[in-house]
Amino acid sequence: MQKGFLPVSKQDMIEQGIEELDFVYVIGDAYVDHPSFGHAIISRVLEAYGYRVGIISQPDWKDENSIAILGRPRLAFLISGGNMDSMVNHYYVSKKRRSADAYTPGGSMGKRPDHATVVYGNLIRKKFKDVPVIIGGIEASLRRLAHYDYWSNSLKRSILLDSQADLISYGMGERSIVEIAQALESGIDVKDICFIPGTVYRTKDISGITGGRDEQYNAILLPAYEEMVNRPERYAKSFGIQYQNTDPFTARPLVEEYPKGIYVVQNPPQKPLAMEEMDAIYDLPYMRSYHPSYEEKGGVPALAEVKFSLISNRGCFGGCSFCALTFHQGRIVQARSHASIIREAERMIKEPDFKGYIHDVGGPTANFRHPSCQKQLKCGVCQNRQCLFPKPCPNLNVDHQDYRKLLQKLRALPGVKKVFIRSGIRFDYLLADKDDSFFRELVEHHVSGQLKVAPEHISGPVLNRMGKPEKSVYDRFVKKYNRLNKELGKKQFLVPYLMSSHPGSTLKEAVALAEYLRDLGYMPEQVQDFYPTPSTISTVMYSTGIDPFTGNKVYVCRNPHEKNMQRALIQYRNPQNYDLVKEALLKAGREDLIGFGEKCLIKPQNQRKKQSGSKTVELGNQKKVKCKNKNDRVSQKRNRVIRNVHQKKVKK
């Protein structure tokens, strides 16, 4: 393997002595050769196996020639929409378009199309009709079977069909992409590559995978696409089956029928990577930067978030309903060795712009460094049971010592001033550990002034739908965190992530959350309104109004105005939210929270505004009370008194 960026132009190919590429990789992001970017990992893995890979980054989808700048690949085109789903990348939950794209040079918006994977696939098919097309990445992985699309409010077909691709490599993809490459290299027609784990293919003949005696290879027939379109409960049932077949040890092939006798078949996932395999992937010769052609545009903003961070694991057994990680990476945690992470840290320290701070050491959940129990690597995960929800499983292996030792080694490296943890701590798992040594070191060494945690809500019915622990668990965590800070002489804070309008949340639950924040004396600066992204349990509940595991109905807030009210309640102290908060309280029958008592959220309208001459006095905001006579000392003194009283209440 040669050191340097992969070719992005014909001139690069000439300079590197490449006459023909084996794979042309079309990506929706800027080309960043860093292991936090999926396209970098896949291209470097293929290179390590001797394949020549070129990159076409953010081609002009209105010009079919933009897809041909590197010529016709010998084996296949690869496509990835980017590190984020292109629709999430482009739109807020309100469906308003974002103004910037962190994965584009200079942060410019509009350099990739909506539904990028589909558009790129059709662009290739228009120019190269007979070249195999393999799609992957988060966008393809989470849309591999029929899925609800929030932006069009419709049930879309498998992305395999809409993109006109031949195969999907779903999940993380390192193993499956190599097996696909080797199959193509051996001369197997892409239409016959139907045997590789971690892939999805189309066929008109399913006789070989149904009706057999071996249950492991006997496919499950999911509800047909047209049936799910007409009957939402069938889609909910289908997703429940899919969710129970995300484990590589127990999963069976899944078959989804489409009109005209077409079937989309999902093979079981790839087996988890061994530690040595993970190490080999992260030891590949990444340039750890964006392509130099982006320098004049100011680089790629997304790199700054991860450049000085270390990935230590993948997979998550947390099981949050609104998270797609189980569907993408699986529940079995895979980890890198200390030696591999230290090697990467030492390379990072030598970079000229390293200031002594490692920004993060983690993954989907930072404090998961091993499978939740030993049987998972032999028998797989439990199909009908979660590891942490609603209570930690008795078989759960709770141990932070490996992670603690890793952090100690990183702290001891010459040139390292501080090692932070920012990728998220699962607080219920932390509390389940009877040994407090990691918790103490977390508070002492790895918090940058404030620790971000994700209780998400406090209402039991909502937490149950979210797959999150009950409120009392978070309260115990807060108490212990504060105690450790006091013992260590630290003044560090908690920043709780909260979510509004999640399925199951009515105005009643939203008001309860506002009351909790009132008693806490905290108003969050940011609130995440529930975002229905593809292939999560919460999105299925949102789209169907049904729990996919129980079949029970679930309340879903879809009305934009009610969503605004639920969000405003969390930030009820913001004067701009007054009207929405008042309306929400009246609709919820909670007029008792409008008044002057200590438990009230807002004051009555007629007491909030008073007329003084022709000027309106806003007592809720209290920036300044304007009077007709500016020299009226009595009025000025009254203003000061009102402001001081209000400020004291806010501090309390």
Side-chain angles (χ1 to χ4, degrees):
M1 290 180 291
Q2 63 183 32
K3 186 72 172 176
F5 287 92
L6 299 175
V8 299
S9 66
K10 278 286 189 180
Q11 184 61 37
D12 287 347
M13 291 172 62
I14 292 169
E15 291 176 1
Q16 296 180 27
I18 300 173
E19 293 184 6
E20 181 185 43
L21 292 165
D22 298 312
F23 294 96
V24 172
Y25 201 168
V26 181
I27 59 176
D29 290 340
Y31 174 28
V32 182
D33 194 25
H34 187 282
S36 291
F37 289 73
H39 62 254
I41 289 180
I42 295 299
S43 57
R44 288 298 183 185
V45 166
L46 285 169
E47 184 191 40
Y49 277 83
Y51 296 102
R52 295 160 296 184
V53 184
I55 305 287
I56 298 179
S57 171
Q58 299 184 322
D60 181 357
W61 68 93
K62 299 173 185 176
D63 179 8
E64 64 183 70
N65 292 318
S66 67
I67 219 77
I69 61 172
L70 298 180
R72 179 190 182 97
R74 184 174 68 91
L75 295 177
F77 275 99
L78 308 177
I79 300 175
S80 170
N83 261 24
M84 292 174 64
D85 184 282
S86 60
M87 299 303 287
V88 178
N89 179 277
H90 284 175
Y91 298 97
Y92 295 105
V93 65
S94 63
K95 299 185 182 179
K96 292 181 180 179
R97 195 164 178 87
R98 299 183 193 272
S99 59
D101 180 353
Y103 292 91
T104 294
S108 300
M109 177 54 79
K111 295 298 183 181
R112 85 181 89 203
D114 288 355
H115 300 290
T117 302
V118 171
V119 175
Y120 293 153
N122 283 277
L123 191 65
I124 292 169
R125 276 285 172 254
K126 190 175 181 180
K127 187 72 175 178
F128 300 95
K129 298 187 184 304
D130 58 343
V131 178
V133 176
I134 320 298
I135 60 176
I138 192 77
E139 185 166 274
S141 183
L142 300 184
R143 297 172 180 267
R144 57 188 185 257
L145 294 174
H147 56 279
Y148 174 73
D149 182 76
Y150 170 67
W151 302 270
S152 63
N153 190 30
S154 66
L155 190 71
K156 283 188 173 290
R157 306 190 304 171
S158 165
I159 196 172
L160 183 70
L161 303 179
D162 287 343
S163 66
Q164 298 192 65
D166 295 290
L167 286 171
I168 299 175
S169 169
Y170 73 86
M172 298 304 283
E174 295 99 342
R175 274 189 178 156
S176 57
I177 199 63
V178 171
E179 291 183 35
I180 292 169
Q182 291 171 339
L184 291 170
E185 180 72 49
S186 68
I188 299 176
D189 190 288
V190 69
K191 293 180 176 56
D192 295 325
I193 300 176
C194 56
F195 50 85
I196 297 174
T199 62
V200 179
Y201 64 94
R202 79 176 90 190
T203 184
K204 288 196 171 185
D205 181 11
I206 58 171
S207 59
I209 58 172
T210 57
R213 293 183 179 180
D214 190 336
E215 185 175 287
Q216 184 176 358
Y217 300 101
N218 190 10
I220 298 173
L221 290 172
L222 299 172
Y225 172 71
E226 288 191 326
E227 183 184 354
M228 291 187 286
V229 169
N230 296 319
R231 298 176 58 190
E233 70 275 10
R234 300 298 288 165
Y235 172 51
K237 180 179 179 180
S238 175
F239 186 83
I241 296 170
Q242 293 173 46
Y243 196 85
Q244 292 175 332
N245 282 270
T246 57
D247 179 76
F249 295 92
T250 61
R252 292 161 59 185
L254 303 177
V255 179
E256 197 169 66
E257 183 182 358
Y258 288 85
K260 299 181 181 179
I262 296 173
Y263 297 93
V264 172
V265 182
Q266 173 185 302
N267 285 321
Q270 285 278 346
K271 293 288 195 299
L273 296 177
M275 184 174 284
E276 294 76 15
E277 292 174 301
M278 282 272 284
D279 289 354
I281 288 168
Y282 286 90
D283 284 343
L284 293 171
Y286 304 98
M287 297 301 291
R288 298 189 62 82
S289 186
Y290 48 74
H291 194 274
S293 62
Y294 306 141
E295 195 65 52
E296 62 181 27
K297 294 182 179 179
V300 180
L303 178 62
E305 294 295 317
V306 296
K307 187 174 183 180
F308 299 120
S309 297
L310 297 164
I311 296 173
S312 73
N313 62 62
R314 66 171 57 161
C316 182
F317 53 80
C320 298
S321 301
F322 47 80
C323 179
L325 277 168
T326 297
F327 219 67
H328 184 59
Q329 293 188 1
R331 286 171 58 188
I332 298 177
V333 172
Q334 302 143 73
R336 296 167 62 189
S337 71
H338 290 194
S340 173
I341 296 171
I342 296 297
R343 283 194 298 271
E344 185 178 356
E346 289 172 339
R347 290 193 295 269
M348 195 166 67
I349 290 167
K350 294 176 182 178
E351 295 185 25
D353 51 345
F354 180 71
K355 305 297 183 183
Y357 300 96
I358 295 176
H359 296 162
D360 188 26
V361 184
T365 300
N367 56 329
F368 291 173
R369 277 279 299 169
H370 51 75
S372 60
C373 67
Q374 293 303 313
K375 71 173 186 176
Q376 285 187 352
L377 295 178
K378 291 183 179 180
C379 308
V381 299
C382 300
Q383 283 189 318
N384 299 303
R385 188 173 186 176
Q386 292 287 346
C387 303
L388 282 167
F389 177 81
K391 302 283 186 183
C393 175
N395 296 322
L396 184 66
N397 179 15
V398 183
D399 188 354
H400 288 86
Q401 291 312 303
D402 177 69
Y403 190 38
R404 178 186 172 217
K405 290 174 183 176
L406 170 62
L407 294 169
Q408 289 173 345
K409 292 175 183 178
L410 290 169
R411 294 202 309 263
L413 290 176
V416 172
K417 298 177 183 177
K418 197 84 173 177
V419 179
F420 296 120
I421 300 173
R422 293 178 176 171
S423 58
I425 292 289
R426 185 76 187 212
F427 60 83
D428 50 347
Y429 182 72
L430 183 57
L431 285 179
D433 194 344
K434 296 179 181 179
D435 184 347
D436 283 349
S437 57
F438 169 72
F439 201 163
R440 181 173 289 274
E441 287 194 20
L442 168 69
V443 172
E444 185 173 7
H445 297 291
H446 303 293
V447 178
S448 57
Q450 54 187 28
L451 180 66
K452 297 177 181 178
V453 288
E456 304 295 356
H457 214 280
I458 55 89
S459 175
V462 182
L463 291 171
N464 186 56
R465 299 296 183 194
M466 289 179 163
K468 298 290 288 186
E470 58 189 23
K471 173 181 171 290
S472 61
V473 179
Y474 179 67
D475 289 342
R476 285 196 292 115
F477 171 78
V478 172
K479 186 176 180 180
K480 194 167 185 178
Y481 178 79
N482 290 336
R483 176 175 62 78
L484 287 171
N485 270 279
K486 185 176 181 180
E487 290 177 4
L488 294 167
K490 300 277 187 179
K491 291 185 178 180
Q492 300 174 141
F493 305 96
L494 282 174
V495 178
Y497 283 123
L498 300 169
M499 186 182 296
S500 61
S501 304
H502 186 276
S505 177
T506 68
L507 284 176
K508 175 184 175 182
E509 283 75 33
V511 171
L513 180 55
E515 290 182 285
Y516 174 77
L517 293 172
R518 172 204 63 201
D519 297 340
L520 200 63
Y522 170 73
M523 186 182 80
E525 293 182 6
Q526 293 182 337
V527 179
Q528 176 61 57
D529 196 3
F530 169 64
Y531 202 151
T533 55
S535 296
T536 71
I537 300 168
S538 299
T539 296
V540 175
M541 288 191 283
Y542 176 89
S543 63
T544 65
I546 297 169
D547 185 316
F549 303 114
T550 66
N552 295 333
K553 291 185 177 181
V554 179
Y555 175 80
V556 177
C557 174
R558 296 191 185 93
N559 182 282
H561 188 65
E562 185 185 338
K563 288 168 76 72
N564 288 338
M565 285 193 288
Q566 291 207 24
R567 184 185 180 92
L569 280 164
I570 298 178
Q571 296 176 309
Y572 69 89
R573 289 182 181 176
N574 186 337
Q576 295 179 352
N577 290 336
Y578 181 91
D579 291 336
L580 283 169
V581 173
K582 181 179 179 182
E583 182 182 357
L585 293 175
L586 293 174
K587 282 194 173 185
R590 294 301 307 273
E591 295 91 337
D592 59 300
L593 295 177
I594 304 173
F596 298 96
E598 289 185 2
K599 296 296 184 180
C600 292
L601 299 182
I602 57 174
K603 295 186 173 101
Q605 183 76 26
N606 61 344
Q607 294 297 322
R608 180 173 174 260
K609 294 184 179 182
K610 291 184 177 181
Q611 295 298 324
S612 178
S614 60
K615 300 290 184 178
T616 298
V617 182
E618 292 280 354
L619 301 186
N621 197 9
Q622 290 305 333
K623 289 183 178 178
K624 190 174 182 180
V625 178
K626 296 183 179 180
C627 306
K628 246 182 178 180
N629 182 1
K630 293 184 180 179
N631 296 319
D632 188 338
R633 294 182 180 178
V634 176
S635 296
Q636 296 298 331
K637 184 175 180 180
R638 182 184 62 189
N639 295 348
R640 288 194 297 271
V641 170
I642 293 173
R643 283 201 302 273
N644 291 337
V645 170
H646 177 72
Q647 289 169 359
K648 287 179 181 178
K649 286 185 177 179
V650 171
K651 287 180 181 178
K652 286 181 181 178

